[in-house]
Amino acid sequence: MNTKLLFTLLCVAVSIVAVAQKNELQTITENDLRAHLEFIAGDNMRGRDFFTETPGLDLAADYLKAQCAKMGLTPGVEGYFQNVELQAITPDPDQTVLSLKDANGNKSYQTKDIFSLGGPPKNDTISGEVVFAGYGWYNEDTKYNDTKDLDLKGKIVLVMTRTLEQAKEGSGPDMDTEMKKMSRAMMGGAKAVILVNDPMNPNPEYIESIRKYATGGSLTLKGAKSLLILPIRLIFGTEELGNKMLEGSRKTLDGLQQEIIESNSPKSFAINNLTTEINLVKSNESIVGKNVIAVVEGSDPELKKECIVFTAHYDHLGTDGEGGIYNGADDNGSGTVALLEIAEAFQSMKKKPKRSIVFAWVTGEEKGLLGSDYYSQHPVIPMENTLVDINLDMIGRSAETELDSVDVNSKSLAGPNGMYIISGRQSSELLDISDEVCEDLGLVPSDELTKAFLTRSDYYHFYKNGVPILGLSTGLHDDYHEITDELDKIDYHKMKRVTQYAFSVAYKLANQTKRLVVDKPVK
């Protein structure tokens, strides 16, 4: 064959591929995304969580299965449902109790108005002497130290919310600060930290907002061996409990806080003749979650043994117990329905891509990336033959303008053309393909959230197994994990463009002759 003819045929082949890709992109429409999302993020789904009165999570799974069957996608597992065996651990508030005992072992006070975060899956009892540690805070700059000269080993530590600086500024509490206190107490050998609202707290509902999360229980993969159990418990109590614990010392939280602020120094001490016993009672239940798995089988007899995996979690947070529903239109209704459109685009191709495309709608992301963890242990195509995971999580929102810079500690919503890509940078070739597609579609990619978010979504379980990842998001916003994450705030045009980007990258990867080069294996 002469060189001119070979060049002509090559140009024709490239043209055919480009036209095919363009045609398939047109199947991804704003109207279809909207129609799917109105169902997935509607009130009837009850927030797509476990244990809701109406099983919205199961209804969502059934909808995804029905759409896969309607499109004619090949089931990745029998009946499309990959059963994920889970263990549910739920606190029993009726039997959870804290007792205060005097020097003779007599109960002086008892309350059930407490709850805890974390701890072992079985019943747990903690008892010990008590120390009051003010805010429980250490300031590295000023060297203010609430635990200085306090013996914490084996003790139960009573602390107030916030810090001296926050109290002076009048700012509210935050969980990062409170967890740092627990870490410091743990390093000192304490058994437990009892956290109560400081009397000047401008947000007295703070602990109540945590209660809703903590008392909803937790889920783990059944038989998981990697469950981390800290040698310390974080107990949340009331201001009344704090004052009862101080009663024998003739002190009050209000008085101590005033002394700390006025003197600018700690007022910590051991509370003599007082022992606290805390009984944390929990129930255990085995339940089954569902990953929904579908496949577009590759057309090449050999290359179809390799795949690109698309993932998106379809679960969310349920209800708030007061009539509010966490519909999660963006988190992650947006990614969920984007996968339906991408699947339809690939399935509509007369000649399927050379490599297989796996679609995994995973469960339990909000409970700890559980569904993707299970899939990574039971992939439908081996992980060593998985070229890349493209994960879509919150792709439906836009700020009015692009950000000049990104602060990972604050909301980081991208503008009309912006998109965040979380990548482990395992493959420069993959990032080059990504940049090419972004340029074609007028998208402006940023990887500024990679370091902060590498363990935050379902792509993590692929990353840790050495599979290159592209985690797609348009960023965090004020409606994140709030009941205000609703349909009327979705930018469907932006959502379509990100969906088309994901399809285009996968299309290129699935059809190139050589396997994607991985130049940074994960150890």
Side-chain angles (χ1 to χ4, degrees), residues 65 68-69 72-81 292-296 359 380:
K65 174 182 175 179
C68 289
L73 297 173
T74 300
V77 293
E78 185 177 355
Y80 295 102
F81 287 158
V292 185
I293 314 292
V295 178
V296 172
F359 297 90
V380 298

Side-chain angles (χ1 to χ4, degrees), residues 116-130:
S116 68
L117 277 177
K122 297 181 180 180
N123 296 344
D124 197 14
T125 299
I126 309 120
S127 62
E129 297 175 350
V130 183

Side-chain angles (χ1 to χ4, degrees), residues 243-256:
N243 284 321
K244 285 292 183 181
M245 297 177 79
L246 293 165
E247 201 170 64
S249 304
R250 298 182 181 179
K251 302 280 189 179
T252 65
L253 290 173
D254 182 60
L256 287 165

Side-chain angles (χ1 to χ4, degrees), residues 171-225:
S171 58
D174 64 89
M175 198 61 190
D176 284 344
T177 298
E178 307 307 338
M179 293 304 290
K180 287 177 182 176
K181 298 178 185 181
M182 187 179 79
S183 177
R184 190 164 184 81
M186 181 176 69
M187 295 298 291
K191 287 184 177 180
V193 171
I194 297 177
L195 183 68
V196 300
N197 269 324
D198 68 275
M200 295 171 61
N201 191 342
N203 181 13
E205 292 80 25
Y206 171 69
I207 287 181
E208 283 305 306
S209 68
I210 301 172
R211 184 193 297 269
K212 293 176 183 177
Y213 169 78
T215 56
S218 61
L219 289 172
T220 61
L221 288 181
K222 197 168 186 179
K225 298 179 181 179

